[in-house]
Amino acid sequence: MLLSLALISLCGMLIGSLFKKIKLPPLLGMLLTGIILGPHVLNLLSDSVLSVSADLRQIALIIILTRAGLNLNTDDLKKVGRPALLMCFVPACAEMVGTILLAPALLGISRVEAAVMGAVVAAVSPAVVVPKMLNLMENGYGTDKSIPQLILAGASVDDVFVIVLFSSFTDIAKSGVFHPAQLVRIPTSIVLGLAGGVVCGIILGKLFQKIHMRDSAKVIIILSVSFLLVTLDGKLKGTVGFSGLLAVMSMGTAIQKMKNDTASRISQKYSKLWVAAEVILFVLVGAAVDIEYAKNSGVKVIALILGALIFRMAGVLLCLIKTNLNKKERVFCMLAYMPKATVQAAIGSIPLAMGLPCGNAVLTTAVMAILITAPLGAFLIDMTHKKLLVKNKEQSV
C-alpha cells in the first residue's frame, strides 16, 4: 500500500504540474496518471489501495464541499436572488433530462440507468469553477452585477443537489423497482440535510467562540463531524432521507456566518488538505477506467456529452430570464457553468462498484466528461471573461 500511495502522490503531482505548464488543468494529468498506473495498463497499484478507493474519494468530496460552504457568503446569494436559486438546480435538471433522452439510444441503457448517468455527469465542478470565480472577484470582473457570485453560489449547491438525486436513482436502479415513496426521499434529504448541517455549524461555532484552540484542531473536529453526518446518511433507509453531503456544506456555511474570520482561516487549512485529496481523487478514478470499453464506445459517449451540454446551456439561459445581464454576460454564464470534474471523479465509479449493468458506461462517460469539459471550460473562462464581462472601475486601478 505504501508504494502505491507514493506512486499516486509523486506521479500524480509530477504529471499534473506538467499539464499546468502547458496551460491545461492539472487534474487531467492526474487522471492520465491513474489510467497508466491502474490495472488496465501497468497494474502498479495494490489491491489494498483500490479496495478503499471509494472511501478515499468520499473524503476528498467532503473536503471540497466543506471548503465551498466556508466560502459561500449567503449575503451574496440573497443579493443575486432568484437567478442564484435557479442556478442551483435548473441547469443540472436540464442536463439530466438531456441524458435520459439521449443515452438509451446512443448507449443502449435503460431510462433508469440513464437517470443514474445523468446525475453523475450533470454536476458542475467546484475544483475548476470556484478558483476561477474567486479570481474574477479579486480582479473585479462582473462584480457590479454579482456574476462570479452567482456562478459560485450555484456551483456550490448544484453539486449537492445532484448527489442527492444520484443516491435516489441508484437505489431505484439497484432494487429494480420504483415506488413513488422513493421520491419523498429527495425533498426530505435536502431539508433535513440543510437543517442538520446548520445546527451542527451553530454548535461548533459557539464551541470555537468559547474554547480557544488551534485552527488545526478545529479542522479535525469539523472533519470528524462531517464523517458522522455522511455515515448517518448511509444508515437512514426508507422514505425519510438525509443528505450528509448537503449537511457538510451547510455546516461550513453556518460557521462562516457566525464567525467569518475563523471560517477564512479554516478554509485556508482545507485548501492545503485539498492539495493531497485532489491528487488521490483523480488518480484513483483514472485507475478505475476500463480502456477497452472506452475505446469501443468513445464516439457515442462524446456525442452524448455534447448533446447533454446543449440542454445544460438552455437551462442556464432559462435561469437568467428577466435579469439585468446583457447577451455577452449570459453567454459567459453558459460557458462558465460547463466544467465538470470533482463530483464525476467522486461518484462516477460507484455504479460499477455496486454491480449495476450500466457501471462501465457511467464511469466512462464521467471520465470523458472531465477530459472534455474541464479543459474546455477553464480555457473559455480565461479567454472570454475580459471580452464578455465589464470590470469594476473601482478595481481597475
Side-chain angles (χ1 to χ4, degrees), residues 40 99 102-122 166 285 288-305 344 347-370:
H40 300 289
T99 305
L102 298 172
L106 289 170
L107 303 179
I109 61 177
S110 69
R111 296 288 182 193
V112 173
E113 290 171 332
V116 172
M117 180 180 287
V120 171
V121 301
F166 172 77
V285 79
V289 176
D290 186 332
I291 303 298
E292 286 303 316
Y293 184 89
K295 277 189 208 172
N296 295 333
S297 58
V299 175
K300 293 180 180 179
V301 168
I302 292 171
L304 171 63
I305 292 166
Q344 289 71 27
I347 66 177
S349 62
I350 291 178
L352 183 62
M354 293 172 66
L356 295 181
C358 63
N360 259 325
V362 172
L363 176 58
T364 301
T365 305
V367 172
M368 291 295 288
I370 297 171

Side-chain angles (χ1 to χ4, degrees), residues 371-393:
L371 294 174
I372 293 169
T373 65
L376 182 60
F379 174 78
L380 289 173
I381 291 171
D382 289 340
M383 292 299 295
T384 65
H385 73 270
K386 291 183 179 179
K387 296 178 181 177
L388 300 179
L389 301 181
V390 177
K391 187 170 185 180
N392 188 332
K393 293 179 181 178

Side-chain angles (χ1 to χ4, degrees), residues 112 115-116 119 161-179 181-190 233 238-243 354 356:
V112 173
V116 172
F161 170 72
V162 167
I163 291 167
V164 171
L165 292 181
F166 172 77
S167 299
S168 301
F169 293 149
T170 49
D171 286 344
I172 295 170
K174 192 173 182 180
S175 65
V177 180
F178 170 71
H179 297 290
Q182 288 174 301
L183 294 178
V184 179
R185 283 185 61 86
I186 298 174
T188 57
S189 293
I190 294 172
D233 183 343
T239 304
V240 177
F242 176 83
S243 173
M354 293 172 66
L356 295 181

Side-chain angles (χ1 to χ4, degrees), residues 235-254:
K235 295 293 183 184
L236 282 180
K237 304 294 181 184
T239 304
V240 177
F242 176 83
S243 173
L245 292 171
L246 182 54
V248 166
M249 194 185 77
S250 58
M251 177 175 65
T253 304

